[in-house]
Amino acid sequence: AATLRCLPKITLPTLVVAYTGDNAVFSCDTDAIYETSPAKDKKIVRVDGDHLGLPTREAPNGGREAALRHVTEWLRERFPAR
């Protein structure tokens, strides 16, 4: 993927959601994405779950709902309802 090559051109607010049991996008990858982002407003959150947020042995409840809460909260902080 060309994420790290293209990311320096993106200065919009950035939220990186990293699943702790992801076997396709590893924590070193999400860390690099976060660190490479030039956005002044950026945040990384780590949520239990596999690549799709589904349960793992270490996280039997998965993390889809937690990820949704993080995304929702992040969006509400930046785009409050009128």
Side-chain angles (χ1 to χ4, degrees), residues 3-71:
T3 303
L4 295 179
R5 187 177 73 233
C6 295
L7 195 57
K9 300 173 187 172
I10 302 170
T11 58
L12 297 170
T14 302
L15 174 64
V16 178
V17 178
Y19 284 116
T20 58
D22 197 325
N23 62 357
V25 182
F26 302 102
S27 61
C28 61
D29 299 322
T30 53
D31 290 345
I33 290 168
Y34 177 80
E35 292 300 326
T36 302
S37 169
K40 291 183 179 164
D41 178 7
K42 64 182 180 178
K43 181 178 183 177
I44 187 169
V45 294
R46 301 191 187 284
V47 180
D48 289 335
D50 72 358
H51 182 68
L52 302 173
L54 297 173
T56 63
R57 236 179 281 144
E58 296 80 16
N61 294 323
R64 286 181 168 183
E65 289 183 21
L68 178 61
R69 281 193 302 275
H70 283 291
V71 171

